[in-house]
Amino acid sequence: MEKRELFHIGEVARMFHLSVSSLRHYERIGLLQPEYIEPRSGYRYYSIRQFECLNTIRYLRMLDMPLMQISDFLKNRDIATIQELLQQQKEEVIRRQKELQMIERKISNRLRQLENALASEFDRVQIERTPPLRIAWIRNTLSIRSYLDLETSIRQLEEGQKDTAVFLGKVGVGIAKEKLLKKQYDSYDMVFLLLEPEDRYEGKVEELPEETCVSVRFCGSHREATLYYQKLERFLEEHRLMVNGFSREITMIDYGITSDTSQFVTEIQIPIATI
């Protein structure tokens, strides 16, 4: 074959909007071999008859088809094969779209939580209706001196899960109703994970109904929580309300978001009933 019928690898890369490294990679994996390699210089050349193959590769790569599947097709090109490949790729794209939509919802939820936390009115006790919740939880008695004290429990919640269910701002701790009634706030009885509708969790999950709670937010973390349990306790007594469930305490902004402890936001909620 005359050399004028060949095109240098750089020319081919420019014509097909590919990088030279991509063409070299195609060669390494056996997808497309150069028509001619100059023995002395090692320069790679491609012929016009290879352009159709390159067009096919570029088209299928635009559809995000893996190179090995493209290679298999090029070795066995027929209508039935390309139909099957395109159908498989369409199903994969639909699956990824659903995953991306789920991730988008999670990001949107977290952004709303952060905006909500940043707009907090600190140290004000209020009564509110909380929406139904879905939680996964483990009983685990612990005292929290730093955020590291929660790590073992979080790993237990994640154990055996196909997907990572723990996201920032979704892990909380609680004090049992019996201890709240006894005004014991020095340790926690459970660690829980707030599950969003799309979260798949393999294990015990509890559905909590819509409830009336007293709540308070403060600038700080779990270490400062005792003072706010006492504040909630005084509010309950003054308004003749009684504890009606375990507390839900979540750091809405903590070390996972910022190293500036002055920006930490923690919320405590306690379900209530009238006396």
Side-chain angles (χ1 to χ4, degrees):
M1 181 177 289
E2 294 186 13
K3 199 166 181 181
R4 60 185 173 83
E5 298 177 357
L6 300 176
F7 296 84
H8 185 267
I9 188 171
E11 294 177 290
V12 175
R14 285 192 297 274
M15 282 190 286
F16 287 88
H17 304 285
L18 296 167
S19 65
V20 170
S21 60
S22 291
L23 289 170
R24 290 186 180 277
H25 181 61
Y26 294 169
E27 178 186 351
R28 283 194 298 273
I29 65 175
L31 182 61
L32 182 69
Q33 299 295 328
E35 184 75 36
Y36 174 73
I37 301 177
E38 178 72 49
R40 292 184 179 179
S41 65
Y43 288 167
R44 267 75 173 153
Y45 294 89
Y46 295 82
S47 67
I48 292 177
R49 67 183 182 181
Q50 292 179 295
F51 287 4
E52 183 180 353
C53 183
L54 268 169
N55 267 327
T56 301
I57 293 171
R58 189 173 64 161
Y59 169 70
L60 295 177
R61 284 303 292 149
M62 283 178 62
L63 301 180
D64 206 25
M65 192 172 289
L67 288 175
M68 295 313 297
Q69 281 188 309
I70 296 173
S71 178
D72 291 341
F73 169 69
L74 293 176
K75 293 172 186 174
N76 182 33
R77 278 184 280 186
D78 62 47
I79 295 173
T81 301
I82 192 63
Q83 283 180 311
E84 182 181 355
L85 278 175
L86 290 174
Q87 184 62 38
Q88 289 175 355
Q89 192 63 10
K90 179 182 176 181
E91 291 169 2
E92 175 64 15
V93 168
I94 291 171
R95 183 191 65 79
R96 289 208 303 266
Q97 283 177 333
K98 290 179 179 177
E99 285 187 353
L100 288 171
Q101 287 168 355
M102 180 184 71
I103 292 169
E104 181 186 10
R105 286 194 298 271
K106 287 181 177 293
I107 292 171
S108 295
N109 289 341
R110 189 54 183 141
L111 283 170
R112 281 194 295 271
Q113 290 169 356
L114 284 172
E115 289 165 4
N116 189 304
L118 291 170
S120 296
E121 184 178 349
F122 295 137
D123 303 342
R124 176 174 171 263
V125 178
Q126 57 184 343
I127 298 175
E128 60 182 355
R129 290 293 286 176
T130 60
L133 299 175
R134 190 165 66 102
I135 66 168
W137 58 276
I138 54 172
R139 290 201 175 277
N140 209 348
T141 302
L142 72 160
S143 298
I144 300 178
R145 292 173 297 278
S146 80
Y147 69 97
L148 295 174
D149 294 322
L150 270 173
E151 285 302 311
T152 301
S153 296
I154 292 172
R155 299 289 79 77
Q156 286 179 265
L157 282 168
E158 282 195 307
E159 188 175 353
Q161 301 305 310
K162 294 178 183 178
D163 303 310
T164 300
V166 175
F167 278 71
L168 297 175
K170 291 173 59 178
V171 177
V173 291
I175 299 176
K177 176 181 176 179
E178 296 74 20
K179 285 178 61 175
L180 291 172
L181 291 171
K182 294 176 182 177
K183 304 177 182 180
Q184 296 174 353
Y185 313 125
D186 56 339
S187 66
Y188 297 96
D189 304 292
M190 64 183 299
V191 179
F192 62 86
L193 173 65
L194 287 175
L195 297 172
E196 295 172 356
E198 58 269 19
D199 285 337
R200 298 184 295 273
Y201 190 84
E202 302 292 331
K204 184 178 179 181
V205 173
E206 186 171 348
E207 305 278 349
L208 301 179
E210 182 180 348
E211 295 178 287
T212 301
C213 294
V214 289
S215 68
V216 65
R217 291 183 184 181
F218 59 93
C219 181
S221 62
H222 298 299
R223 288 181 299 178
E224 293 80 43
T226 297
L227 291 174
Y228 293 92
Y229 277 101
Q230 292 168 347
K231 188 180 184 73
L232 289 170
E233 171 197 321
R234 291 191 295 271
F235 183 91
L236 292 173
E237 290 174 352
E238 291 169 6
H239 293 79
R240 297 182 59 78
L241 301 170
M242 63 179 291
V243 174
N244 196 35
F246 65 88
S247 66
R248 299 90 187 259
E249 181 182 329
I250 291 181
T251 50
M252 304 172 74
I253 297 179
D254 61 5
Y255 281 105
I257 303 296
T258 178
S259 57
D260 184 354
T261 56
S262 68
Q263 295 186 28
F264 285 9
V265 178
T266 299
E267 180 177 54
I268 302 172
Q269 295 177 340
I270 300 177
I272 57 169
T274 55
I275 295 176

